[in-house]
C-alpha cells in the first residue's frame, strides 16, 4: 500500500515533469531537413504579396526563414510576362506547413523560385518567406513575400509566429502595427483588422 507521503511525492513529481514540458506552439516545428529542393511557382499576376493578403486574410500555406545562398542573373525566359530571376534559399526554420493534396512540403532543405527580380536582395541575406497555395501547389506572389530580416530572434519573427499561433488572428499582432508598417504592410494589416471588426459586429 502506498503511504500518503509516497502518493504526495508522485503527484508533485508528475506536476513538475508536466510543467517542464509545456505544449508546443503551432509555429514551433521541428524538422530534420533532407538535401532536396522545393520548387515554388511565382504567381506574378496576383495584385498583393506578403503575409497579409485578401480582404480578410488568405491562409498562409508555408512560412519559413532561410538564407539566400544563390542568385542567378535576371532573364526573359517567361517572355513578356515578367522578368525572371532565380534564387535559392537554404531553409533554417519552418513556422507553418499547410498540407496540400499533391505537393505538401516534405522537409526539403532548399527552396527555389524565380521571383527575385527587383527584390534588392543579395546572396547571404537572411529572409522571411511567405507562401500561399495555388492549384494544389505552393506559390509566392513575389514582392513583400520575401522580406530581408536580421536574424531569427527579431520582433518581426516573433510577430509572424504569434499570427500563425492564433490561426491568423490580426488582433493578436495589433500592437505590432508600426513594425509591419516599416515593411510597407501597415495598410494590409489594417485591412485585416477592419475586416475582423466588421465580422465581429455581424455575429
Amino acid at each position: 500500500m502506498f503511504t500518503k507521503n509516497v502518493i504526495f511525492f508522485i503527484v508533485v513529481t508528475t506536476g513538475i515533469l508536466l510543467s517542464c514540458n509545456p505544449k508546443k506552439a503551432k509555429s514551433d516545428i521541428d524538422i530534420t531537413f533532407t538535401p532536396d529542393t522545393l520548387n515554388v511557382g511565382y504567381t506574378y499576376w496576383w495584385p498583393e504579396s506578403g503575409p497579409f493578403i485578401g480582404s480578410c486574410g488568405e491562409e498562409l500555406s508555408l512560412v519559413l526563414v532561410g538564407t539566400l545562398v544563390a542568385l542567378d542573373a535576371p532573364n526573359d525566359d517567361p517572355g513578356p510576362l515578367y522578368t525572371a530571376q532565380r534564387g535559392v534559399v537554404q531553409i533554417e526554420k519552418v513556422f507553418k506547413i499547410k498540407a496540400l493534396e499533391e505537393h505538401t512540403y516534405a522537409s526539403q532543405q532548399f527552396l527555389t523560385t524565380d521571383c527575385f527580380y527587383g527584390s534588392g536582395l543579395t546572396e547571404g541575406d537572411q529572409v522571411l518567406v511567405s507562401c500561399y497555395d495555388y492549384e494544389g501547389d505552393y506559390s509566392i506572389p513575389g514582392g513583400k513575400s520575401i522580406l530581408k530580416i536580421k536574424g531569427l530572434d527579431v520582433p518581426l519573427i516573433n510577430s509572424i509566429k504569434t499570427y500563425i499561433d492564433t490561426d491568423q488572428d490580426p488582433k493578436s499582432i495589433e500592437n505590432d502595427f508600426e513594425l509591419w508598417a516599416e515593411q510597407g504592410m501597415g495598410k494590409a494589416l489594417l485591412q485585416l483588422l477592419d475586416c475582423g471588426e466588421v465580422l465581429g459586429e455581424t455575429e
Side-chain angles (χ1 to χ4, degrees), residues 4-193:
K4 290 182 178 180
N5 288 339
V6 171
I7 294 173
F8 177 76
F9 175 78
I10 292 172
V11 170
V12 170
T13 302
T14 302
I16 292 173
L17 291 174
L18 289 174
S19 66
C20 292
N21 295 284
K23 185 178 179 181
K24 292 175 63 174
K26 293 180 181 179
S27 61
D28 291 329
I29 302 174
D30 293 324
I31 293 178
T32 300
F33 293 110
T34 59
D36 296 319
T37 300
L38 175 70
N39 297 303
V40 179
Y42 177 21
T43 43
Y44 61 88
W45 62 92
W46 286 13
E48 300 173 288
S49 63
F52 317 121
I53 71 171
S55 298
C56 291
E58 293 293 327
E59 182 183 2
L60 291 160
S61 298
L62 184 65
V63 181
L64 57 90
V65 166
T67 299
L68 184 59
V69 294
L71 190 63
D72 296 345
N75 65 75
D76 60 357
D77 290 349
L81 300 175
Y82 65 94
T83 300
Q85 186 173 21
R86 177 181 172 273
V88 179
V89 175
Q90 182 171 349
I91 302 171
E92 298 164 19
K93 191 69 179 174
V94 179
F95 301 129
K96 170 74 184 281
I97 302 171
K98 178 182 177 181
L100 304 183
E101 291 183 3
E102 299 178 8
H103 301 108
T104 298
Y105 174 73
S107 303
Q108 293 95 329
Q109 190 173 18
F110 300 93
L111 176 150
T112 183
T113 183
D114 68 352
C115 69
F116 283 92
Y117 182 71
S119 67
L121 297 168
T122 58
E123 290 183 15
D125 286 344
Q126 198 167 27
V127 292
L128 169 64
V129 181
S130 302
C131 303
Y132 296 87
D133 55 281
Y134 177 73
E135 294 186 344
D137 211 341
Y138 297 113
S139 71
I140 297 179
K144 298 179 179 65
S145 289
I146 303 180
L147 296 175
K148 183 177 179 179
I149 58 172
K150 296 181 179 179
L152 283 168
D153 189 22
V154 295
L156 199 72
I157 296 301
N158 293 332
S159 184
I160 194 66
K161 290 184 65 178
T162 297
Y163 185 59
I164 291 168
D165 291 340
T166 58
D167 295 325
Q168 298 188 204
D169 178 4
K171 287 191 68 64
S172 68
I173 57 170
E174 186 174 11
N175 292 335
D176 297 335
F177 173 78
E178 293 297 333
L179 184 68
W180 291 104
E182 291 174 3
Q183 301 293 330
M185 283 175 281
K187 184 177 179 181
L189 180 54
L190 279 178
Q191 171 61 44
L192 300 193
L193 288 166

